[in-house]
Amino acid sequence: MARMKFICDAERCIECNGCVTACKNEHEVPWGVNRRRVVTINDGVPGERSMSVACMHCSDAPCMAVCPVDCFYRTDEGVVLHDKDLCIGCGYCFYACPFGAPQFPQAGAFGLRGKMDKCTFCAGGPEANSSEEEFRKYGRNRLAEGKLPLCAEVCSTKALLGGDADVLADIYRQRVLTRGKGAEIWGWSTAYGKPDAPAAAPAPSAGGKS
Amino acid sequence: MAYDMTVWRRLLCALLTLCALAFGPAFAADPPPTDQALRQQVQPLNNAPVWREVRSGEAHFTTVKGVETGVLIQSGGQTWRALRNGPITLYGGIVFSAMLVLLAVFFKLRGQIRLSEPKTGRLIQRFTTLERMSHWTMAISFCVLMVSGLIMLFGKHVLLPVFGYSLFAVVAMVCKNIHNFVGPVFILSVLLFIVLFVKDNVWQAIDALWIRKAGGLLSGEHVPSHRFNFGEKTWFWLGVVFLSLTVGASGLVLNFPNFEQGRAVMQTANLVHLIGGLIVMTLSLAHIYIGTLGMEGALEGMQTGYVDETWAKEHHELWYDAARQNQGMEQTPGGLSAPAAVRT
């Protein structure tokens, strides 16, 4: 079974924010929430590099570990999803996540948090695939339609790739060979452990707990 | 002709000066080349300076609005997770449970601390209505916060396997909302309580005797004290003033994310909240025990505001003596350090 991952090639990203816009449009995400964002280092000066960032669907996901109601689950493709019917909006996943992926639409005064929302790797949630209910809560389930995440699919420079980690790694390896240097992939050691000591393949956990 | 030349020359001069004023500072403020720019001149495709920036946790440029959206990797969450899921949950749970067991064993061995002489039936005022109201507002909100807090920290390990996901999520959701709304009530009652009780909790010379005899807890001896003995004073300063205010303040940081505080602040506040909360909850068990099961006549003092003269004499002799001297004097409004009213 494929293990789904994202790669963002910092040598290719041109900060067009196409991935951000595509994601927001495809999933009709709540107001104030951006499941994906592009961050630019050395903006406007020589040495500028941009990177697209969203949930990385970590091997040892911190959000999953700290959730007090255990609402997260991992699909057999390694995608980390959560059940909004269980989420209590405590914000712990937001404290724990290194990438700033979990976000909360404001549900009341004083910043009261609603149900957490984050990137689903275009894989929906625990509801029936492609159901109206699933779309309303989690957005489009493209994986169920045999498609890959839209952010990566629309990327004009193919800086952002999403899909089977082995395939992505082969593509990236080819790029590194062509360039002759720069094998680092941003965020991968944080999300998937050091390449020297790969984290044990995590077991998928049951979805649809509610 | 000569006249025209001068005008043109003057105009040119003025223009040049303007240009110098307009562009001069811009040239001066030209930023130094970035580390990455320098690095890729000598080593093309070496992005090490950029990777350092990624790991730094600093905010960079992004068009997405929000708190810390410019940060790529915030590594503090990993530390927070390790501490919360590790030692805090484990040792916090052990210490809290150990206190329950300890108190049960103590009760079995020592039993209720009874009055050594029969009650006189004469009552003496120990707490005013305002004092009792501030105490019970604090006590009830504390217990609500304790139960909801414990469920949010340990419920995943203790209740979830019993309740199942759906029911436990409802319980936890109710707990979260109650915790968030009762918290500020608790803080206000703590502040009022401190104002009302601080005067009689200042340390006095007689406290040395209480410390030397360990409060007579084991010997059963009654150590004389003023209105509050050293044990009560310790609980006041440690439990109410220090721990409750610390836990309350850190709770406010977590309760109001609308002030746009960053993740690092919230991670630290949450650790302080957890550690302080677990300590104050564990200590509160001992206070609740001695105030209810552990000692005869203690609860009715806080319930009714009046204690029996025998109780006053045995537990707070110096306070009782002062009350006797003031007997017959009219009760003064506000906090009473020396009791006045005696009721039969």
Side-chain angles (χ1 to χ4, degrees):
Chain A
M1 196 50 121
R3 162 67 164 105
M4 295 299 182
K5 287 181 186 177
F6 280 122
I7 275 185
C8 183
D9 190 339
E11 291 292 343
R12 283 184 172 228
C13 179
I14 57 168
E15 197 206 350
C16 69
N17 280 289
C19 48
V20 178
T21 314
C23 173
K24 212 163 167 45
N25 186 58
E26 180 78 350
H27 301 298
E28 299 177 12
V29 291
W31 182 254
V33 171
N34 277 285
R35 291 183 178 178
R36 186 168 275 289
R37 60 191 199 276
V38 175
V39 176
T40 304
I41 292 170
N42 303 328
D43 182 46
V45 295
E48 178 183 288
R49 293 289 183 285
S50 294
M51 276 151 259
S52 181
V53 52
C55 173
M56 293 288 275
H57 304 277
C58 300
S59 303
D60 177 20
C63 50
M64 195 181 252
V66 300
C67 178
V69 294
D70 200 16
C71 81
F72 289 86
Y73 63 100
R74 185 181 279 109
T75 71
D76 46 15
E77 288 173 319
V79 178
V80 176
L81 298 176
H82 70 298
D83 189 335
K84 284 195 183 185
D85 293 342
L86 300 180
C87 173
I88 62 170
C90 65
Y92 287 178
C93 50
F94 158 77
Y95 300 163
C97 176
F99 300 106
Q103 289 164 66
F104 298 85
Q106 192 164 321
F110 309 118
L112 190 73
R113 296 184 180 100
K115 307 275 185 189
M116 188 272 274
D117 191 89
K118 75 168 187 70
C119 159
T120 62
F121 207 86
C122 288
E127 272 80 11
N129 281 348
S130 310
S131 63
E132 213 171 289
E133 183 85 349
E134 184 188 49
F135 179 76
R136 190 170 55 76
K137 290 180 191 166
Y138 309 96
R140 194 94 52 205
N141 189 342
R142 290 171 53 90
L143 254 57
E145 300 168 11
K147 300 169 182 167
L148 286 170
L150 190 66
C151 53
E153 295 294 279
V154 302
C155 182
S156 55
T157 60
K158 290 284 158 259
L160 185 63
L161 305 175
D164 183 5
D166 292 340
V167 178
L168 300 190
D170 284 345
I171 296 171
Y172 198 75
R173 190 175 301 115
Q174 193 56 47
R175 288 184 188 177
V176 173
L177 284 171
T178 312
R179 292 174 198 154
K181 221 173 191 181
E184 304 94 340
I185 309 171
W186 102 263
W188 267 40
S189 64
T190 303
Y192 314 123
K194 298 270 183 291
D196 301 337
S205 55
K209 291 163 178 171
S210 57
Chain B
M1 197 68 181
Y3 172 77
D4 278 0
M5 275 296 289
T6 345
V7 170
W8 280 116
R9 202 169 290 164
R10 274 188 184 174
L11 264 174
L12 195 69
C13 263
L15 247 168
L16 278 174
T17 319
L18 265 175
C19 283
L21 279 174
F23 297 112
F27 288 130
D30 208 15
T34 58
D35 287 351
Q36 180 60 36
L38 294 173
R39 179 67 61 95
Q40 64 197 28
Q41 274 173 3
V42 280
Q43 292 182 50
L45 291 166
N46 182 333
N47 289 336
V50 159
W51 304 135
R52 264 199 298 281
E53 293 285 311
V54 168
R55 295 305 309 229
S56 70
E58 302 280 314
H60 299 282
F61 178 80
T62 181
T63 53
V64 170
K65 299 273 184 290
V67 184
E68 293 187 322
T69 47
V71 176
L72 281 163
I73 293 180
Q74 202 272 4
S75 51
Q78 202 58 25
T79 315
W80 175 76
R81 167 196 170 174
L83 288 171
R84 179 192 179 269
N85 280 12
I88 291 178
T89 303
L90 178 66
Y91 296 116
I94 290 175
V95 168
F96 186 81
S97 320
M99 181 58 105
L100 286 171
V101 174
L102 198 75
L103 289 171
V105 170
F106 185 78
F107 184 65
K108 190 87 186 155
L109 292 177
R110 182 80 164 74
Q112 193 181 44
I113 301 171
R114 300 208 149 267
L115 295 173
S116 28
E117 284 171 37
K119 288 185 176 179
T120 59
R122 284 192 304 279
L123 296 176
I124 177 166
Q125 190 178 28
R126 182 151 171 78
F127 300 110
T128 66
T129 308
L130 183 63
E131 284 171 338
R132 284 185 298 124
M133 276 171 62
S134 87
H135 174 269
W136 287 116
T137 310
M138 184 171 72
I140 293 167
S141 56
F142 182 89
C143 290
V144 168
L145 292 167
M146 170 157 75
V147 171
S148 54
L150 286 172
I151 288 175
M152 283 186 284
L153 182 59
F154 299 110
K156 187 183 188 176
H157 310 289
V158 180
L159 294 183
L160 180 57
V162 184
F163 285 11
Y165 286 103
S166 299
L167 179 58
F168 180 67
V170 173
V171 172
M173 174 66 103
V174 170
C175 284
K176 181 206 112 170
N177 283 317
I178 286 179
H179 204 85
N180 286 355
F181 283 96
V182 172
V185 176
F186 173 71
I187 294 170
L188 290 178
S189 66
V190 165
L191 292 174
L192 176 64
F193 187 90
I194 291 173
V195 170
L196 293 177
F197 283 90
V198 69
K199 189 159 52 115
D200 292 321
N201 277 290
V202 176
W203 292 292
Q204 290 153 307
I206 196 77
D207 293 335
L209 187 67
W210 195 93
I211 299 169
R212 210 159 50 240
K213 301 199 169 177
L217 196 66
L218 301 171
S219 59
E221 186 187 351
H222 287 305
V223 186
S225 77
H226 290 285
R227 192 174 180 211
F228 298 115
N229 65 36
F230 186 74
E232 291 166 301
K233 286 175 184 175
T234 306
W235 176 234
F236 175 83
W237 289 110
L238 180 68
V240 181
V241 178
F242 179 66
L243 287 171
S244 292
L245 287 184
T246 309
V247 174
S250 56
L252 287 178
V253 173
L254 302 167
N255 212 357
F256 296 97
N258 52 319
F259 290 110
E260 311 210 328
Q261 58 273 41
R263 274 168 287 178
V265 174
M266 290 184 153
Q267 286 151 4
T268 312
N270 186 265
L271 291 178
V272 170
H273 198 73
L274 283 172
I275 296 169
L278 283 163
I279 297 173
V280 78
M281 282 192 290
T282 305
L283 295 177
S284 80
L285 294 177
H287 171 75
I288 293 168
Y289 167 79
I290 202 79
T292 54
L293 271 183
M295 183 187 285
E296 183 185 1
L299 184 61
E300 65 184 61
M302 198 45 98
Q303 268 181 327
T304 63
Y306 288 87
V307 292
D308 195 273
E309 277 196 3
T310 308
W311 189 92
K313 198 174 160 188
E314 288 185 9
H315 291 294
H316 297 275
E317 202 179 338
L318 302 173
W319 172 73
Y320 170 73
D321 292 344
R324 289 288 295 219
Q325 280 171 15
N326 290 340
Q327 217 177 50
M329 274 171 62
E330 272 309 301
Q331 180 181 329
T332 50
L336 297 174
S337 57
V342 172
R343 197 169 75 171
T344 50

